[in-house]
Amino acid sequence: MLARIIGTGSSLPEKAVANQELETLVDTTDEWIKSRTGIEKRHIAVTETTTSMAVEAAKHAMKNAGVKAEELDLIIVGTVSGDMCFPSTACQIQSALGAKNATAFDINAACAGFLFGLSIVDAYIKSGRIKTALVVGAETLSKMMDWKDRSTCVLFGDGAGAAIVKSSDEGILALVQGSDGVRGSALTCHNRAVNNPYVDNGFKTDYTKMNGQEVYKFAVKTVPAAIMQAMDKAGVSADQVKYFLLHQANIRIIEAVAKKLNQPAEKFPTNLQECGNISAGSVPILLDFMNQEGKLERGDLIVLAGFGAGLTWGAAVLTW
Ligand code: COA
């Protein structure tokens, strides 16, 4: 049995913040942000939370798939920005949906979170352990940004994307994943410091810090290699693939990957212009946009790829 994506959903915060609005917060310009990243605006949570967006995205995906809550055997959420340390976002979604038959847990693989979740679901389905799963990528990164640091706060956005995955004769043909913890310091956000009756470090909030050039170099080398590896495993050539849906971090990274794969830019749809980088939410939100726009047809070969903090990366080749 293969694992097939049979429905998608997404949810974005109502408030959209254009680059021009950020010019009033930090020393930046619309022109700098657009030319270095392609980003024009991003959605920022005001009333929404990671869980509320994840639940909305999940409901849309279930409706799109025609799947009821009781049918879900597994719920996996890729997130680094859950509302609570515990219970997990996945358990909160389970409760909100009434998915009483599901096992639910979160994973932290940052911007590769959706791909890592999909990979776990793929293994569960192939082993025959489950039939139907919900995979979500959901983030409220705005709460983890230093809004005085122009090198990071202009890049990210909030939102959630979800997919229903079911056992089928068609679906995911190949998946590759990888991690490189040694280079993890290129993109970090510390959690609480050790602070208890025996040590007083004072609790300091920490924010996202990034060595942009290191992450850029990592992405343009690792992502095409992972995609090629996945296509090899699937026995599929790049020319046969209809769309490559990549993590929406930066238009220059996406263009560099397209060039390395010798494929036209039109095969690499983007929504980073209006969403920015939504970490684990990026890939499933883009997938849902494509699905809602009717751009995906049964039988199409699609590549999904994510990469980010960890460092982590994943790529999947699938039949729609
Ligand atoms: N507005 C204006 N200037 C800015 C700025 C901003 N928002 N952010 C940084 N700058 C400045 C820097 O301070 C630096 O100034 P200096 O030369 O006076 O020191 C200059 O712009 C160039 O900075 P640099 O970091 O070299 O820019 P870059 O061309 O590498 O672009 C990124 C920066 C972040 C866009 C780019 O490195 C990148 O996309 N990296 C990958 C990041 C990514 O994808 N992360 C997510 C992975 S999941």
Side-chain angles (χ1 to χ4, degrees):
M1 273 294 160
L2 299 183
R4 178 165 170 249
I5 297 179
I6 60 162
T8 61
S10 62
S11 170
L12 293 170
E14 207 177 312
K15 183 170 178 58
V17 177
N19 290 348
Q20 288 84 351
E21 210 174 325
L22 296 180
E23 292 175 1
T24 63
L25 284 182
V26 286
D27 183 13
T28 192
T29 60
D30 172 45
E31 201 280 327
W32 191 97
I33 301 170
K34 259 201 309 230
S35 64
R36 302 285 174 126
T37 70
I39 298 166
E40 293 168 22
K41 60 179 181 174
R42 71 287 294 140
H43 293 257
I44 299 294
V46 179
T47 55
E48 302 85 355
T49 69
T50 298
T51 300
S52 75
M53 292 186 288
V55 169
E56 196 175 306
K59 284 182 177 167
H60 289 316
M62 285 162 60
K63 192 168 174 212
N64 185 237
V67 159
K68 293 194 179 63
E70 309 83 66
E71 293 175 59
L72 296 176
D73 304 312
L74 181 63
I75 299 173
I76 299 182
V77 180
T79 187
V80 294
S81 54
D83 300 348
M84 302 169 84
C85 292
F86 47 83
S88 66
T89 305
C91 282
Q92 293 173 56
I93 295 176
Q94 179 197 22
S95 166
L97 297 178
K100 56 182 192 305
N101 299 316
T103 300
F105 58 89
D106 291 356
I107 51 164
N108 176 342
C111 306
F114 181 77
L115 265 299
F116 275 41
L118 206 55
S119 181
I120 297 170
V121 165
D122 182 61
Y124 269 66
I125 287 179
K126 274 193 183 138
S127 73
R129 202 162 152 189
I130 63 156
K131 280 201 167 64
T132 311
L134 165 67
V135 189
V136 181
E139 305 284 10
T140 317
L141 297 171
S142 58
K143 66 188 177 192
M144 295 157 79
M145 292 300 133
D146 176 355
W147 286 89
K148 293 190 180 82
D149 176 10
R150 66 179 182 174
S151 71
T152 50
C153 74
V154 304
L155 304 175
F156 297 92
D158 300 332
I164 300 292
V165 187
K166 202 173 167 76
S167 63
S168 169
D169 297 338
E170 297 168 300
I172 297 171
L173 300 173
L175 256 158
V176 298
Q177 285 173 275
S179 309
D180 183 0
V182 172
R183 289 197 284 167
S185 59
L187 182 49
T188 60
C189 183
H190 284 260
N191 213 324
R192 300 179 190 202
V194 176
N195 193 16
N196 57 46
Y198 311 102
V199 57
D200 184 10
N201 289 329
F203 170 61
K204 288 194 206 83
T205 306
D206 194 45
Y207 297 105
T208 302
K209 293 193 182 76
M210 181 173 67
N211 180 336
Q213 290 183 3
E214 277 304 307
V215 176
Y216 189 92
K217 279 188 261 173
F218 148 70
V220 297
K221 192 168 171 205
T222 311
V223 177
I227 292 174
M228 282 191 242
Q229 213 184 327
M231 290 191 306
D232 262 6
K233 242 172 119 177
V236 160
S237 75
D239 291 340
Q240 291 174 280
V241 173
K242 185 165 178 193
Y243 291 118
F244 296 84
L245 306 187
L246 306 194
H247 172 48
Q248 300 289 294
N250 185 313
I251 194 75
R252 293 188 297 153
I253 293 176
I254 294 170
E255 286 166 356
V257 175
K259 205 168 160 201
K260 279 205 176 158
L261 295 174
N262 203 18
Q263 292 296 304
E266 304 81 73
K267 286 172 89 169
F268 292 74
T270 55
N271 64 2
L272 59 83
Q273 294 81 354
E274 65 169 293
C275 293
N277 177 347
I278 311 181
S279 190
S282 236
V283 171
I285 292 170
L286 180 61
L287 186 64
D288 185 50
F289 278 28
M290 297 288 291
N291 190 18
Q292 297 311 321
E293 286 166 17
K295 292 198 171 139
L296 306 175
E297 282 168 49
R298 190 85 199 253
D300 283 348
L301 279 173
I302 312 281
V303 165
L304 308 178
F307 59 92
L311 301 170
T312 54
W313 61 92
V317 181
L318 55 93
T319 309
W320 187 253

